[in-house]
Amino acid sequence: MELLFLGTGGGTPSRLRNVTSIALNLQGVHNGFWLFDCGEGTQHQMLRCPLKVSKLEKIFITHLHGDHIFGLPGLLTSRSMNGITDGITLYGPKGIKAFVEATLGLSGSWLTFPLEIVEITAGEVLNDEHFRVTAYPLTHPVECYGYRIEEHDKSGALDAGRLLADGIKPGKLFQQLKLGKTVTMEDGQIVDGRKYLGPAIKGLTLAIFGDTSPTPASRELAANVDVMVHEATLAAEMEEKANSRGHSSTVQAAKAAKEAGAKKLIVTHLSSRYLREDTEWLLAECRAIFPATEMAHDFSVFEV
Ligand code: ZN
């Protein structure tokens, strides 16, 4: 899997950063990708990277501020104009349904694909074959959530050598054994697949925060995650200003990662006041607290 940052700015776009959107490419698990937030211009950013809008499966919105959702109507209608019929599920706080229905309705737009809109509250958002996603409430002037994404553990590899040594020949039924099932072989032998599986492979975990000032939910939301994505709207010296608007500073993002036991932190959602030459010292502020920090730029890709 990989995280591809389509927009990494907070508030308004700048020449350096578009407003927020993050793609989670599920390659290796699914054939598709998920989107977290969809600021204005997200569809333009997608045209400049290898993501195909037809492969978009789910959209998770953290909150309804414009820099996180104004890209939705354009993205959805363009996807429709491309004649795509595969459905999308859109998750977001209360009001997301009215926003999408009003913008599509008033502009006389329609969609060629089914769009399911799920208005979420805190707690489990989805639990499918591969992932569990849980929403945690954050501290921001409007209802805002962070998403914890947990990949289910995968069963260990089948020990084909040991099966052969026990006189069990490879064949179609090996697939069933791989899933840990008990199978009656062609010769009548009953084989318990679980006995031939290696140790389970731990699924990956991610925490993708929406806008927030330091918040009590962060410890649980990001507890021991492989990757934590957190906003760092302003520098440490402007902490008070950041917090007064429901945002965090560089240092506060780093402290949250440290407290939660995250393995890696990626900071994003930087104020448009910062220029390219500022990124180094802003990142240094984070690394002084939490060395395993990276800063996202538009089109940054991070392997998960
Ligand atoms: Zn916001």
Side-chain angles (χ1 to χ4, degrees), residues 4 11 18 29 42 56 58-59 71 75 82 91 110 120 134 146 148 151 156 160 164 189 196 225 265 283 292 296 298:
L4 198 162
N18 196 43
V29 185
T42 294
L56 174 58
K58 296 180 194 301
I59 305 173
L75 177 75
N82 286 331
Y91 303 90
W110 71 93
I120 63 157
T134 313
R148 182 180 173 94
E151 185 189 13
L164 287 170
Q189 208 181 158
Y196 293 93
V225 290
L265 169 67
L283 184 55
D298 285 18

Side-chain angles (χ1 to χ4, degrees), residues 25-34 57-58 128 130-131:
N25 196 342
L26 300 168
Q27 225 165 22
V29 185
H30 284 191
N31 190 20
F33 72 96
W34 294 354
E57 294 173 351
K58 296 180 194 301
D128 68 12
H130 300 288
F131 297 97

Side-chain angles (χ1 to χ4, degrees), residues 63 65 67-68 140 142 211 247 269:
H63 66 300
H65 278 159
D67 55 329
H68 294 253
H140 202 55
V142 299
D211 292 2
H247 291 295
H269 197 274

Side-chain angles (χ1 to χ4, degrees), residues 204-232:
L204 293 163
T205 50
L206 294 103
I208 299 182
F209 283 68
D211 292 2
T212 191
S213 53
T215 184
S218 68
R219 260 178 207 245
E220 203 179 323
L221 164 52
N224 307 311
V225 290
D226 294 293
V227 179
M228 167 172 167
V229 178
H230 196 287
E231 67 132 289

Side-chain angles (χ1 to χ4, degrees), residues 259-275:
E259 281 168 15
K263 294 189 183 75
K264 180 178 182 168
L265 169 67
I266 303 171
V267 289
T268 184
H269 197 274
L270 282 105
S271 161
S272 57
R273 72 173 58 223
Y274 297 117
L275 307 173

